[in-house]
Amino acid sequence: MTRLRGFALAGVLILLAATPARADITAFIGADTTPASRQVRGVGIGFGVLIIGVELEYAVTTDDLTAGSPSLKTGMGNVLLQTPSSFFGVQPYFTTGGGVYREELGAHQDTGFGFNTGGGAKISLIGPLRLRVDYRVFKLGSGALYSPSHRIYAGLSLKF
């Protein structure tokens, strides 16, 4: 019985010492600059514990037929390496991951697997509301018209 109490006490202490998971959802708008600047919109949802985070993101970039710039849809899963808390209201992060993309321009269509790498910052505004700025480079498959693709965005993030 003493051994069981010891394990129970150890379990309770571990649970009390654990850092709670943090989650956020971000809606963003920005620009995909490859080969010409076009609007990108998307949403991401993620969670993290201490310095490691995971995020799922979906984004849509419009096409520009006159500039020969394709539309691009991406669905990515990423790992984030971030500071455990913000410094002066700013929490920087680095991210990398992969997922599926679809590029279209006229009759051209390419669907495949791509990778992305980037970073940014989550800047505290009011309460759980944060401004998020982000830059990413997408390495698309060999059938893509333009790879790598560069994206920059700003969005509002709600921390919960």
Side-chain angles (χ1 to χ4, degrees), residues 3 5 9 14 16 20 30 35 44 54 56 73 81 95 98 107-108 111 117 128 131-133 140-141 143 146 150 158:
R3 196 178 238 183
R5 283 186 197 159
L9 180 60
I14 288 172
L16 290 174
V54 176
L56 297 175
K73 296 177 184 171
L81 181 61
T95 183
H108 169 81
T111 302
T117 302
L131 171 67
R132 182 170 173 181
V133 292
L140 307 177
Y146 298 100
H150 299 264
L158 182 63

Side-chain angles (χ1 to χ4, degrees), residues 5 9 23 29 33 36 47 85 93 95 113-114 151:
R5 283 186 197 159
L9 180 60
I29 189 166
T33 62
F47 70 92
S85 61
Y93 63 88
T95 183
F113 189 79
R151 180 182 81 191

Side-chain angles (χ1 to χ4, degrees), residues 89-113:
V90 177
Q91 183 181 27
Y93 63 88
F94 168 79
T95 183
T96 188
V100 178
Y101 73 90
R102 181 169 182 88
E103 182 186 64
E104 295 181 61
L105 181 64
H108 169 81
Q109 293 182 1
D110 181 51
T111 302
F113 189 79

Side-chain angles (χ1 to χ4, degrees), residues 5 10 15-16 29 34 41 50 64 67 79 92 113 122 133 157:
R5 283 186 197 159
L15 289 175
L16 290 174
I29 189 166
T34 308
R41 299 178 315 273
L50 286 179
D64 183 348
V79 175
F113 189 79
K122 300 173 187 177
V133 292
S157 181

Side-chain angles (χ1 to χ4, degrees), residues 83-92 122 124:
T83 60
S85 61
S86 61
F87 296 99
F88 302 106
V90 177
Q91 183 181 27
K122 300 173 187 177
S124 297

